[in-house]
Amino acid sequence: MSDQHPYRTYKPLLEAKYLAQDNSYRYRTILRYFYEQQQRYRNRLEPDEILRAVRERLDPQDAQSYTEELLQQDLQQLYEWGNLNRRQSGKVSKIEEFKKKRYWYQATPYTIRLERLVEELESLGDSYGGSLEVSQFEKLIQTLQQLTQIADESFQSPDQRPLYQIESWTAERLHQWWTDLNDQFTRVTNNAQDFLAELNSVQVEDAMMTEQFMVYKETVIDYLRRFMLGLQRSSYQIEGTLSRVSQDVLDKIFAKIAQYELTIPHFAKTPLSEETLIQRYREQWSGIGSWFRGDGSGRGSQLEDLQRETTEAIRRIARYAQRLGERQLNMRSRKADYLHLANWFAQLSDLNEAHSLAAAVFGASQTRHLWVETAKTTEDIHSSIWETKPSDLELKPRRQGYRERTKASKIEEKKREKQVVLQAYLEQKAAEQALLRDVFAGDRVVLDELPVLQPFIRQTLLGWISRGLASPHREGKTEDGRRFKLIDPGAGERVQIQCTDGVLEMPNYVIFFLDSGKEKQK
């Protein structure tokens, strides 16, 4: 988003005054009825209908004293605050009605949005709401990847700028795509912020200190861990997609969306210019990019903040559970255990048996265990340790500077064996290079046109693709010095490559050899 913060004078929001007045119960009843009727596509209401609806919703004692004069006063007040618009009704059957200036009323857009917000707040209660759903990130990925889907006609020449499928969309379809993208991004960020805010709230911290929290501990931690794994996987895809988006394509898309926006009639406000709309779209796109990749200031992205907050929430829940478990352990009484042991000792008649029981109960903590690596002599799980053959354990001195004695060994010359191994290796590499030249003899490589590949050819091909993806210009060099350019189809098209040791499924990349002409001249 833009870093500019122009000075503004914020005027009082008169449309919200009805929420905190002495007669708010009447004002809110009237406007809630307007909101409910607007949901049913009934926008114009007359006083008689409003009066009946308000009396039905008020307390019986208040409804009995609510007269038509009070309703007119309330409607007049709401009109002055800007909550209602009114116009004189043309249907007049009596002189009294003409003198009273009968109006029909309509709720203003501010009022409808305020009532919608109040309804959401009422359903929210004391919780922040929100959720951490990886599926929301996956939907955002699918929407963003439409920017990188390359058209089929892009594979004519490596020097040609790739043509994207989204460039052929209509302005109306682009406008809907842009709306969906912003809605999905807003939903992702708001839900994550609300859920983490609820985890950090005082109510949740109090709940974590109760014994009932132990029942839900594993469920909450598992939920957060699954979100972290999905978030890491999704974040890499989103960052990779954002890095491949062409700015030229974005400018064309924004221009089409702005032109379509200007064709939508807005009667209640002055339409913005095309340049202003395009600048707004650029700032919104910059905000999406900075949320995932940072703004370049070195502070980090908000995505990293979300990952850090989620990790800290997992640690905090684990600490609370540990403290709760320790508190329960400290408060546990061992009276029953001691009484059971005392009963054992009381039943013994021989002092030696009492000594043996005491050694078994109280002497186990003084036993020293030594581990010796030996081969297993039996697989019988019922065999006793006394049936196992003893093992030797060599104890080494602990004094400083002690070293074991070593025997001097001679160095054997293996020059002839090394030459044989080297010659075999060179012959193998020459055979592999000859086979690579046969498979990749053309000026381009299309994955779905390849024959059955041997493992070393597959490894070489994957190495080229990795170099191309790591380069900002999608270019690289092969082992023998040939320059190539990697074209990503971007349309989600995948191909199955048949290999001698199995089948590899991957995107259908295209590799152009840029110096193939020079190779042919040689």
Side-chain angles (χ1 to χ4, degrees):
M1 301 298 287
S2 176
D3 293 334
Q4 300 295 329
H5 297 285
Y7 293 105
R8 295 183 60 184
T9 302
Y10 292 95
K11 64 177 182 179
L13 192 60
L14 298 178
E15 291 84 353
K17 291 188 67 174
Y18 76 94
L19 295 171
Q21 298 292 327
D22 294 337
N23 296 328
S24 289
Y25 71 98
R26 293 184 348 218
Y27 299 144
R28 293 191 58 186
T29 303
I30 295 172
L31 295 182
R32 179 55 60 92
Y33 180 69
F34 271 92
Y35 171 70
E36 293 173 354
Q37 297 306 308
Q38 194 266 351
Q39 300 298 104
R40 299 180 176 89
Y41 304 102
R42 295 185 66 246
N43 300 319
R44 301 180 179 183
L45 304 178
E46 295 186 354
D48 295 341
E49 178 185 356
I50 300 171
L51 181 61
R52 290 194 301 269
V54 172
R55 285 176 175 173
E56 292 175 357
R57 287 162 169 75
L58 289 178
D59 183 82
Q61 184 175 357
D62 295 331
Q64 187 176 3
S65 60
Y66 193 66
T67 61
E68 185 177 358
E69 288 74 15
L70 286 176
L71 174 65
Q72 291 296 337
Q73 294 177 12
D74 294 342
L75 294 176
Q76 178 65 25
Q77 184 62 71
L78 293 172
Y79 171 74
E80 293 176 358
W81 285 337
N83 296 110
L84 297 176
N85 290 327
R86 70 184 183 186
R87 180 165 296 181
Q88 191 166 359
S89 175
K91 297 184 295 183
V92 178
S93 58
K94 299 179 182 179
I95 298 178
E96 291 78 7
E97 295 178 355
F98 179 78
K99 293 180 178 181
K100 288 183 178 180
K101 293 184 179 181
R102 297 185 61 84
Y103 296 100
W104 55 258
Y105 294 86
Q106 181 180 11
T108 60
Y110 257 54
T111 303
I112 296 300
R113 284 171 173 79
L114 284 172
E115 281 298 308
R116 184 178 295 122
L117 174 61
V118 171
E119 185 181 42
E120 294 176 358
L121 293 175
E122 291 173 348
S123 61
L124 188 62
D126 294 333
S127 65
Y128 287 90
S131 61
L132 298 178
E133 300 295 338
V134 182
S135 59
Q136 297 175 353
F137 283 91
E138 294 175 351
K139 293 178 181 178
L140 184 61
I141 291 174
Q142 295 175 0
T143 305
L144 284 172
Q145 285 179 342
Q146 294 175 339
L147 281 169
T148 60
Q149 293 178 356
I150 300 178
D152 296 336
E153 55 268 21
S154 294
F155 300 116
Q156 301 301 324
S157 172
D159 298 329
Q160 176 188 5
R161 183 184 73 81
L163 299 177
Y164 298 90
Q165 294 182 6
I166 198 171
E167 294 183 77
S168 61
W169 287 6
T170 62
E172 182 178 2
R173 186 178 178 185
L174 287 173
H175 183 269
Q176 183 61 45
W177 170 84
W178 179 249
T179 303
D180 294 341
L181 176 63
N182 282 277
D183 290 344
Q184 291 167 1
F185 175 72
T186 303
R187 190 178 303 113
V188 163
T189 55
N190 289 347
N191 283 348
Q193 292 168 358
D194 291 345
F195 187 84
L196 291 177
E198 183 171 4
L199 280 180
N200 295 326
S201 64
V202 177
Q203 293 87 347
V204 173
E205 289 188 359
D206 292 341
M208 289 181 182
M209 301 305 295
T210 60
E211 296 183 0
Q212 290 79 3
F213 170 71
M214 298 295 291
V215 180
Y216 303 101
K217 173 183 71 73
E218 294 298 333
T219 303
V220 177
I221 292 180
D222 181 65
Y223 179 78
L224 294 175
R225 284 175 177 167
R226 284 189 286 107
F227 171 74
M228 277 295 298
L229 293 175
L231 179 62
Q232 293 174 353
R233 182 174 61 252
S234 303
S235 63
Y236 295 144
Q237 292 180 281
I238 293 176
E239 291 177 15
T241 302
L242 292 175
S243 63
R244 297 198 304 269
V245 173
S246 171
Q247 187 61 42
D248 296 338
V249 176
L250 283 176
D251 292 338
K252 290 184 179 180
I253 292 174
F254 293 158
K256 282 187 177 181
I257 297 175
Q259 294 170 5
Y260 179 80
E261 182 73 24
L262 293 175
T263 63
I264 302 176
H266 297 283
F267 302 103
K269 61 181 179 180
T270 304
L272 301 176
S273 63
E274 182 176 345
E275 292 76 10
T276 305
L277 290 174
I278 293 177
Q279 181 62 27
R280 175 187 294 178
Y281 301 150
R282 288 174 178 169
E283 292 178 354
Q284 291 173 344
W285 176 260
S286 176
I288 295 176
S290 62
W291 198 90
F292 286 99
R293 304 170 62 186
D295 54 4
S297 61
R299 192 189 64 85
S301 64
Q302 296 182 13
L303 176 64
E304 295 174 352
D305 295 341
L306 176 59
Q307 293 175 338
R308 183 170 56 255
E309 289 291 332
T310 306
T311 305
E312 181 59 31
I314 296 175
R315 294 174 180 172
R316 187 171 66 255
I317 292 174
R319 286 197 301 267
Y320 277 122
Q322 181 181 4
R323 293 174 186 172
L324 190 60
E326 292 175 353
R327 186 176 64 182
Q328 291 177 349
L329 183 61
N330 293 333
M331 296 176 60
R332 178 184 174 187
S333 175
R334 302 197 62 184
K335 179 179 178 181
D337 298 339
Y338 292 135
L339 289 175
H340 190 71
L341 286 175
N343 188 32
W344 275 2
F345 281 103
Q347 294 176 358
L348 297 178
S349 58
D350 187 5
L351 182 60
N352 292 329
E353 292 182 0
H355 288 324
S356 300
L357 179 59
V361 174
F362 304 109
S365 60
Q366 304 298 326
T367 303
R368 184 175 183 179
H369 301 274
L370 300 176
W371 175 263
V372 182
E373 285 285 353
T374 57
K376 296 178 65 175
T377 58
T378 179
E379 296 292 339
D380 186 6
I381 61 175
H382 301 291
S383 62
S384 173
I385 189 173
W386 307 112
E387 301 174 4
T388 306
K389 294 182 179 180
S391 303
D392 296 331
L393 176 63
E394 183 180 358
L395 299 179
K396 299 178 182 180
R398 289 188 176 183
R399 70 172 182 267
Q400 188 174 4
Y402 169 77
R403 291 186 302 175
E404 295 185 20
R405 292 182 179 180
T406 57
K407 294 182 180 181
S409 60
K410 63 179 181 178
I411 301 176
E412 298 181 1
E413 185 179 5
K414 298 183 179 180
K415 183 177 181 180
R416 180 173 299 178
E417 289 84 348
K418 291 181 180 179
Q419 289 179 348
V420 173
V421 173
L422 178 60
Q423 184 64 27
Y425 172 76
L426 294 177
E427 292 177 356
Q428 180 184 359
K429 296 300 292 185
E432 292 179 356
Q433 289 298 325
L435 187 56
L436 285 173
R437 285 193 294 270
D438 293 339
V439 175
F440 306 124
D443 59 351
R444 70 174 185 173
V445 178
V446 183
L447 298 189
D448 59 359
E449 298 177 1
L450 291 175
V452 179
L453 302 181
Q454 295 187 16
F456 79 92
I457 299 180
R458 181 186 67 236
Q459 291 298 114
T460 303
L461 181 63
L462 292 177
W464 295 352
I465 295 175
S466 177
R467 295 174 196 171
L469 293 176
S471 171
H473 303 292
R474 295 294 188 267
E475 296 182 0
K477 281 188 178 182
T478 64
E479 288 76 4
D480 56 355
R482 300 176 67 187
R483 293 176 58 249
F484 65 87
K485 185 178 182 65
L486 181 68
I487 302 298
D488 183 359
E493 180 182 355
R494 302 183 68 82
V495 62
Q496 291 186 345
I497 302 177
Q498 302 294 330
C499 304
T500 57
D501 56 350
V503 180
L504 172 63
E505 182 178 343
M506 62 182 298
N508 189 19
Y509 292 106
V510 179
I511 299 177
F512 284 96
F513 293 104
L514 302 178
D515 48 4
S516 58
K518 298 178 182 180
E519 293 291 334
K520 291 180 179 179
Q521 291 177 4
K522 294 180 181 179

